[in-house]
Amino acid sequence: MAGRVSEADVPRWRHGVALDDGPAVPLAVELVRSAAAASLLRLSFTEGRKHEVKRYCEALGHRVRRLRRVAFGPLRLARYRPAPAARSRRPS
């Protein structure tokens, strides 16, 4: 995400925020990497409301630059690779 998030900021990220459609409180917040221009956080939420992660980060003053889902319920998505794109056949 854009901007620096420090270890001192992490408790504020764990506390949660009020969004338009109700409170958003992550199950877990992990600061993976922090630099002046961008930071990398791992956030876990119990539900996936529309753009919840992006809206959560914006409420805390940071714009999401890249977002990657790593799990969906019990499925760890890193284990699954996208299937190769099927080539369409022209009708004969």
Side-chain angles (χ1 to χ4, degrees), residues 74-91:
L75 298 175
R76 300 289 305 167
L77 300 178
R79 296 180 189 162
Y80 302 98
R81 300 284 177 232
R87 293 186 349 197
S88 62
R89 293 184 172 175
R90 285 196 203 169

Side-chain angles (χ1 to χ4, degrees), residues 11-85:
R12 181 174 62 122
W13 283 76
R14 288 187 177 125
H15 182 69
V17 299
L19 300 176
D20 291 341
D21 57 349
V25 181
L27 286 176
V29 176
E30 178 187 352
L31 180 60
V32 178
R33 184 174 56 237
S34 182
S39 299
L40 177 63
L41 278 86
R42 184 171 290 131
L43 303 171
S44 297
F45 285 88
T46 58
E47 57 183 324
R49 293 182 294 189
K50 186 172 182 173
H51 303 289
E52 181 177 20
V53 173
K54 289 181 181 181
R55 293 184 299 133
Y56 183 80
C57 294
E58 287 173 4
L60 290 167
H62 295 273
R63 183 179 56 84
V64 172
R65 295 171 69 184
R66 182 175 162 216
L67 183 62
R68 187 175 80 181
R69 183 185 296 262
V70 296
F72 188 80
L75 298 175
R76 300 289 305 167
L77 300 178
R79 296 180 189 162
Y80 302 98
R81 300 284 177 232

